[in-house]
Amino acid sequence: MRADRLVSLVLLLRQRGRMTAETLARELEVSTRTVLRDMEALSAAGVPVYAERGRHGGFALLPDFRTALTGLNHDEALALVVAGSRRGAQLFGLGSALASAVLKVVDALPEGLRDTAAGAAQRLLVDPETDLLSRRVAPEEVPDSIVAEVRRAVLAGHRLRIRYEAVGRPPKWRTVDPIGLVTVRDQGYLLAGRGTEDRTYRLSRVLKAEELDEPARRSDTVDLDRAWRERNVRFRTGGDTTAVVVRLDPARREHLVATALAVRSEETDEDGRLRLHVVFQDARHAEWALWQHAPYTEVEAPQWLRTSLHHRATAVAARYGPPA
């Protein structure tokens, strides 16, 4: 850990120039006394660091003390800098490691490329804390110790024992075969197998985690994106869903599908209109979605939905009809 801190200390001085012990301590999240000891260690190791006294004093490195990294173009360097702003790494317990890695890479870039990439990165913002409707994103807080244990088991291919608190249920220990980690909108998930079933566990609900010294029962390769999509479809189409048969103009298909959970089947009628069997979350969702598309679609089933849309249309026509 100290070696990593010493490297980070040198890189901070390379990129920012003269810095006080207090500022370095805040950046590295250590005490000022630790910074002073680290400076002595760097000097003893031959790193050209020196102290300047006075009001504007601090620690600095002699000019031209750097390594060189070649082979990266501007876009590649910029991609690394932007990657450091992604919050997904925080969910996987890699936030500090990613920040340190990006710091090292940026410091090693040729001077012109380093300045250009850093300047361009200031004009790119990834996943801000609020959206245009001022809704604040609330990232989940997961202890680093738990995330690190889960991550080690996933990458090492070992079985994992977790104490998991499902919604509305008391915490329970489970032994699973980890497949991979996924982050979606600042929420982290563990994809795993349990017996013959595929399971998805939310990291924020894992209370404890223990990597076991036995191999996970899983395939040597995995298409994590496909596995996530399959779980997503099963989740969205499970439970008390509502199935609807609807006819519509092909030009309106994508608009309707965007509001549905899934499309079970699709066919084209003789008149060129599409007949879709779509699934909605529940009756209220189905009624709301089909009302948005009422001028362009015709619900064939279920009958209760046709009746409900008829009542809505009648009420609207009466309200906006010509004056008596």
Side-chain angles (χ1 to χ4, degrees):
M1 178 64 70
R2 188 188 183 192
D4 289 341
R5 189 175 68 243
L6 292 177
V7 172
S8 295
L9 193 155
V10 171
L11 294 177
L12 283 170
L13 293 177
R14 276 300 321 153
Q15 293 184 23
R16 302 188 189 180
R18 187 183 300 107
M19 298 178 68
T20 65
E22 291 77 11
T23 302
L24 287 167
R26 286 196 301 270
E27 289 285 343
L28 300 174
E29 298 181 349
V30 296
S31 66
T32 303
R33 181 174 297 180
T34 297
V35 170
L36 297 177
R37 286 199 300 264
D38 288 347
M39 287 298 178
E40 293 179 0
L42 288 174
S43 180
V47 177
V49 59
Y50 65 96
E52 291 186 353
R53 300 184 182 279
R55 181 180 178 184
H56 301 291
F59 291 98
L61 294 169
L62 291 177
D64 301 324
F65 178 76
R66 71 173 73 249
T67 59
L69 179 65
T70 60
L72 288 180
N73 60 36
H74 169 265
D75 287 347
E76 291 169 339
L78 179 58
L80 288 173
V81 175
V82 173
S85 68
R86 298 295 300 225
R87 290 199 297 269
Q90 300 289 345
L91 292 174
F92 296 153
L94 295 171
S96 59
L98 178 57
S100 176
V102 172
L103 191 67
K104 294 175 184 178
V105 170
V106 172
D107 182 78
L109 291 172
E111 185 172 357
L113 188 57
R114 181 178 67 253
D115 295 341
T116 301
Q122 294 177 5
R123 300 186 180 277
L124 301 175
L125 177 62
V126 181
D127 291 337
E129 293 187 355
T130 58
D131 61 17
L132 290 176
L133 298 179
S134 297
R135 295 174 299 191
R136 185 175 179 83
V137 177
E140 295 182 331
E141 297 293 334
V142 185
D144 288 344
S145 59
I146 292 178
V147 179
E149 195 76 6
V150 173
R151 188 180 68 246
R152 281 194 294 267
V154 170
L155 299 181
H158 289 168
R159 304 195 81 191
L160 182 68
R161 189 167 178 259
I162 59 174
R163 184 166 175 78
Y164 191 75
E165 186 176 25
V167 178
R169 300 180 184 179
K172 183 179 179 181
W173 283 100
R174 296 170 169 84
T175 299
V176 301
D177 298 293
I179 296 173
L181 290 167
V182 177
T183 173
V184 181
R185 296 186 181 90
D186 291 312
Q187 296 176 354
Y189 298 89
L190 166 67
L191 274 58
R194 188 168 177 225
T196 59
E197 299 180 350
D198 292 332
R199 297 298 180 95
T200 303
Y201 300 98
R202 195 157 167 172
L203 289 180
S204 61
R205 295 176 184 155
V206 177
L207 306 181
K208 294 181 181 179
E210 299 175 359
E211 179 188 6
L212 303 180
D213 189 19
E214 55 182 292
R217 302 165 187 171
R218 68 183 193 185
S219 173
D220 292 336
T221 60
V222 61
D223 185 339
L224 203 57
D225 185 59
R226 179 179 178 181
W228 176 255
R229 289 199 306 268
E230 291 174 348
R231 281 166 165 78
N232 189 37
V233 170
R234 286 198 298 269
F235 174 78
R236 294 167 66 190
T237 59
D240 188 20
T241 57
T242 297
V244 177
V245 180
V246 61
R247 295 181 74 246
L248 72 160
D249 186 284
R252 304 296 303 181
R253 180 190 182 281
E254 297 306 318
H255 298 280
L256 176 64
V257 171
T259 63
L261 292 181
V263 178
R264 289 182 175 174
S265 65
E266 178 178 342
E267 58 187 20
T268 304
D269 290 342
E270 294 181 357
D271 60 0
R273 290 169 65 82
L274 295 179
R275 177 181 278 105
L276 301 180
H277 291 241
V278 293
V279 178
F280 294 95
Q281 183 174 334
D282 51 31
R284 184 177 180 181
H285 179 204
E287 184 175 353
W288 170 85
L290 271 302
W291 178 250
Q292 313 306 310
H293 302 281
Y296 317 102
T297 63
E298 177 189 354
V299 174
E300 292 189 340
Q303 182 58 46
W304 65 263
L305 182 54
R306 288 177 57 90
T307 301
S308 177
L309 293 175
H310 172 77
H311 291 331
R312 281 191 176 220
T314 301
V316 170
R319 177 169 297 176
Y320 294 102

